[in-house]
Amino acid sequence: MKLSNKSKVLEQEEMTFAERIYLPAIVGGMATTLKHFFSKKVTIRYPEQKRYLGPVFRGHHILKRDEEGAERCTACGLCAVACPAEAISMVAEERKKGEENLYREEKYASVYEINMLRCIFCGLCEEACPKQAIYLQHDKMVPVFEDRSEVIFGKDKLVEKMDNRYLREGWK
Amino acid sequence: MEITSTLFTAKAIYVGIIFAITLGVAAYSTYFERIIAAFMQDRVGPDRAGPFGILQPLADAVKMFMKEDFIPANSNKWLFIAGPCLSMLTALMTSAVVPFGDQLDLGDGIILDLQGIDVNIGILWVFGIVSLGVYGVLIGGWASNNKYSLIGAIRAASQNISYELAMGLSIIAILMLSGSLSTKSIVETQQNGHWNILYQPLGFVIFLVCAFAECNRTPFDLPECETELIGGYHTEYSSMKLGFYLFSEYINMFISGAVMATLYFGGYDYLFNDYVAQISWLGEYAYNVSALLGLVVLIVKALIFVFIFMWVRWTLPRFRYDQLMGLGWTGLIPLAMFNVVLTGASMLFTVNDGGSNWMTVGASWAGVIIMLVVTFAYSEMKYKKKKLATA
């Protein structure tokens, strides 16, 4: 009794004359390769041509500002807790008088760092954030770094620029 | 005195040009091999070094020279160095007897043959040098003191010896047609479209298969199969010594393409060459222009063969060793013998009855077809019996 009846008994018959002189099969195979020789190539020449990544691609992180340009992050630390790779660290500080246009909440992150060698781009920080402050951009990869000293990205590289706002397709 | 020195200079320049063409073609074969492989696999291949990647051979050469030139501790040092040198030397020597073109009239009655040396045993020279080429592989594999290298070298030697037999037998039919061993006169008998391929369809197929085996190209690349022998005879080689081995393979491809064009495709013969030789506005240069066009035509024919070599490489998998030997000894050698008999029979038409060349052509093709039909019928009979026996 067999476990499944999927197994097939392979019967190897003697090769026919056409098979034994090889040449018909060789010519057939060469026709196939020649067809591919003239077919459209699938290669994307990466640095010059880029593939569309889709609206849910998880790329370079960004710390969002609100409509008035104030940073949304309140340094609650939920993203750091959610992060499975422990890539995020931050230092919280209290907002002083006159800084209302800089920071949206009464507490803000004076230091916010992501270690790009640790980050696995899972997007859990984005899901954990209660203030819609951190996002993984769908259209931008993390810039190339060549030295270990450049690995930790601070607020200067993460906070959204006012002249280059980040908008997702669904938000427009 | 004056004529001799001019001729000597002209010949030296000619040899230098052929050398440069051979090496240049071999260098760019590496590039086109990768491009063709890529195209057949729906990729684009190397395209970074220069426009369309045409500087890739240069980059490869720089890489080869920069690598550590490693000699294994327990190897035979001198033989280890001699191996790739011998391979390269024999690969380059073959082109001496290939007639790359007709004659050039240099004025003052100086006639330059577009051929290195016109020896009357030209085709034997090719065979002799090709068999010497085995020593390059064999010495390299032996000197490496490595069992994989040795197995690769032994495979190369036995494969080349086996296929040289069928190759030589297929040449005999050509020699019967031309009545000479000289490559020059073989080409001259094929002028004006009387290409040997018309008379020798079977002989050409045998020669082509044997050429693949002699060049160690897929499907006969058992001496250097990576999966079984981690590179075969050149396992221990690195740097430019490895480069020499790879380079000599590409030179062999080009030269065997040129030899096949010489033997079966009329050499430097092309349509309208008589017409080109008589164009009035070219005046006295018309004949020289025709000869130089012939040189270009022969190189193009050889390059087409190089393309076929690569096309086959990226289509077929490797033979098993017993299949290789079976094909050579039980397939090609009897076929080549049959071809000799068939050629003799077809030549009787022209010699005895004064029939036209076309009768010879018809007879040789009819012979091949009859042979196929008879073998097919015979194998069908055997095939049915086998099936009945198992059922």
Side-chain angles (χ1 to χ4, degrees), chain B residues 40-84:
Chain B
M40 285 180 176
Q41 295 163 358
D42 293 347
R43 299 181 284 115
V44 293
D47 66 340
R48 294 288 135 170
F52 305 108
I54 52 165
L55 297 179
Q56 190 67 41
L58 213 66
D60 284 344
V62 169
K63 179 209 131 192
M64 280 288 188
F65 276 114
M66 293 303 200
K67 288 249 174 166
E68 185 192 353
D69 199 359
F70 181 76
I71 296 179
N74 291 321
S75 68
N76 187 327
K77 195 182 168 203
W78 292 110
L79 288 183
F80 192 78
I81 295 168

Side-chain angles (χ1 to χ4, degrees), chain B residues 352-365:
Chain B
N352 287 352
D353 306 334
S356 72
N357 282 330
W358 296 111
M359 288 178 71
T360 319
V361 172
S364 45
W365 283 85

Side-chain angles (χ1 to χ4, degrees), chain A:
Chain A
M1 170 95 184
K2 287 168 187 162
L3 284 175
S4 71
N5 286 323
K6 282 177 184 170
S7 66
K8 283 181 188 164
V9 180
L10 186 70
E11 275 181 43
Q12 213 162 17
E13 288 180 13
E14 204 187 349
M15 286 202 291
T16 62
F17 178 66
E19 283 168 345
R20 250 184 300 140
I21 60 171
Y22 298 118
L23 287 177
I26 287 174
V27 171
M30 286 171 79
T32 306
T33 40
L34 196 67
K35 201 177 76 204
H36 281 275
F37 190 85
F38 294 110
S39 67
K40 196 174 170 293
K41 308 301 167 215
V42 295
T43 305
I44 296 170
R45 291 175 165 86
Y46 167 63
E48 295 93 38
Q49 299 172 356
K50 281 179 182 144
R51 189 195 293 272
Y52 174 63
L53 295 168
V56 293
F57 181 78
R58 299 193 292 263
H60 191 25
H61 316 68
I62 190 164
L63 281 173
K64 283 286 288 175
R65 295 174 187 272
D66 66 2
E67 291 76 21
E68 282 79 45
E71 283 176 27
R72 301 183 74 110
C73 179
T74 183
C76 63
L78 282 177
C79 49
V81 172
C83 183
E86 299 183 7
I88 303 176
S89 62
M90 67 189 72
V91 174
E93 208 152 312
E94 203 176 334
R95 183 179 73 186
K96 303 203 171 54
K97 248 199 164 59
E99 289 182 337
E100 285 83 355
N101 57 338
L102 287 179
Y103 308 110
R104 187 184 165 97
E105 310 292 338
E106 288 169 359
K107 189 170 126 231
Y108 71 96
S110 62
V111 177
Y112 191 100
E113 288 177 341
I114 299 178
N115 186 332
M116 288 300 172
L117 280 185
R118 304 202 71 151
C119 178
I120 57 169
F121 300 92
C122 61
L124 286 184
C125 48
E126 187 180 313
E127 278 178 38
C129 186
K131 299 288 181 188
Q132 282 97 50
I134 186 159
Y135 282 100
L136 297 178
Q137 294 168 90
H138 70 284
D139 54 356
K140 195 163 174 268
M141 309 256 189
V142 176
V144 174
F145 44 81
E146 285 156 354
D147 197 280
R148 275 178 185 268
S149 61
E150 302 164 30
V151 162
I152 295 168
F153 279 44
K155 275 181 83 175
D156 52 328
K157 288 179 184 162
L158 294 172
V159 176
E160 185 180 29
K161 304 283 180 293
M162 280 309 286
D163 51 353
N164 185 19
R165 299 296 298 254
Y166 172 64
L167 280 176
R168 266 202 189 167
E169 262 155 46
W171 299 348
K172 286 172 193 167

